[in-house]
Amino acid sequence: TFVPYAFTCSSTASYAASLSSTVNSYVSEKTILDRHHSQANCDFDRFGGRVISLNPPFVSVDFPYKCPPGFFGNSTDTDDQNSQSCTGPCPAGYYCEGPGQIVPVNCPAGTFSPSKGLSSVQQCLSCPSGSFCGEITTDPVLCDPGRVGTRKRQTNGQCSAPCPKGKYCPKGSTSGISCKDGTYGNSTGLKAADECLECPPGFWCNSGLRFPCQIGSYSKGGINATNLNSCRSCPAKSTTAEEAAPSADKCLCVADYYDANASTSTADC
């Protein structure tokens, strides 16, 4: 869009020129008038809101002026770009280094920007732990359930890794939550507490993990099997053939002893 300007001087020939606002620049009539109003020999007139009378030279070498850092200009219409705000401030999720930025540049993946008007990539913020930021992110997005985001600047919903074994990870987890004592997690990637399992017979469960009862002891398991004391010792002179015995009937008499009451489930050596 061209904006015609003309000047006339009483003692010289007339001069006319056409100027346009270009992308990444702006045209300001006020700026031109302010710069030249003190020059003599010309009568200032304005016709139809588009023509200004100015004494030559009526613009400086750097006219039209470049849009400043933090702003961008992608229009050639002077009605859109008639001040240093140009088209407008750099949108959230972008930065505009300028001067003379035409197309905003998106903050890199792993960073975000909720604010407008950024003028450098260094102003883009690092995505926090427990979240991820793709390209052109204005607000971090929480990591997917069953995943952990242990580091900053993650770029997708898978984040750092699956939720560790013995824990469950709701959306946005940075390390995961241990399964309740008396329960355990038997695989990675759990998403919620109800995926934790009740402690099985022969084990005690704490901090989301299960631990076998040692040889010579047994456990019925369950949600009350929360520590080593949950494993009960076999009767005197008896032991188990292996660890993780689920019940007393796995207790057997040791060498040189026999079960005097074999009809019962408990060894009587």
Side-chain angles (χ1 to χ4, degrees):
T1 301
F2 290 96
V3 183
Y5 289 88
F7 65 89
T8 57
C9 294
S10 58
S11 60
T12 63
S14 63
Y15 175 87
S18 292
L19 296 176
S20 68
S21 172
T22 62
V23 290
N24 82 2
S25 307
Y26 65 95
V27 172
S28 171
E29 293 178 353
K30 182 178 184 301
T31 300
I32 297 170
L33 286 170
D34 287 347
R35 179 172 294 203
H36 300 285
H37 75 278
S38 62
Q39 297 186 19
N41 303 324
C42 280
D43 296 323
F44 287 84
D45 297 298
R46 184 171 180 171
F47 304 97
R50 290 291 183 176
V51 180
I52 304 173
S53 176
L54 295 172
N55 195 31
F58 59 92
V59 291
S60 62
V61 175
D62 60 352
F63 188 87
Y65 310 115
K66 297 291 185 183
C67 299
F71 293 83
F72 73 106
N74 62 2
S75 173
T76 58
D77 190 337
T78 53
D79 289 336
D80 293 336
Q81 295 186 191
N82 57 15
S83 75
Q84 64 179 1
S85 296
C86 293
T87 300
C90 210
Y94 295 83
Y95 65 96
C96 299
E97 290 184 324
Q101 190 84 38
I102 298 175
V103 180
V105 181
N106 55 270
C107 286
T111 67
F112 72 105
S113 169
S115 303
K116 297 179 180 180
L118 269 61
S119 59
S120 71
V121 67
Q122 287 76 19
Q123 292 176 302
C124 298
L125 304 175
S126 292
C127 208
S129 301
S131 61
F132 69 96
C133 300
E135 294 185 348
I136 317 174
T137 300
T138 57
D139 291 293
V141 182
L142 296 177
C143 293
D144 294 342
R147 308 288 300 188
V148 289
T150 58
R151 303 186 305 273
K152 295 181 179 181
R153 302 176 74 93
Q154 300 293 307
T155 59
N156 61 71
Q158 294 297 293
C159 291
S160 304
C163 191
K165 192 173 182 178
K167 298 184 176 185
Y168 62 94
C169 296
K171 196 173 186 179
S173 293
T174 59
S175 60
I177 303 170
S178 295
C179 290
K180 183 180 178 181
D181 291 349
T183 66
Y184 75 106
N186 69 337
S187 64
T188 61
L190 300 187
K191 301 175 182 177
D194 58 10
E195 294 181 276
C196 298
L197 304 176
E198 185 175 297
C199 199
F203 294 82
W204 58 280
C205 299
N206 192 282
S207 301
L209 302 176
R210 67 178 191 175
F211 304 91
C213 293
Q214 300 301 304
I215 291 177
S217 64
Y218 63 95
S219 172
K220 295 181 179 179
I223 59 173
N224 294 320
T226 60
N227 54 56
L228 185 59
N229 294 331
S230 303
C231 298
R232 312 186 75 175
S233 298
C234 287
K237 301 179 182 65
S238 68
T239 189
T240 59
E242 55 188 15
E243 62 182 18
S247 61
D249 60 8
K250 295 298 182 180
C251 296
L252 305 173
C253 293
V254 298
D256 298 328
Y257 288 86
Y258 68 95
D259 189 351
N261 194 358
S263 60
T264 64
S265 60
T266 304
D268 182 12
C269 304

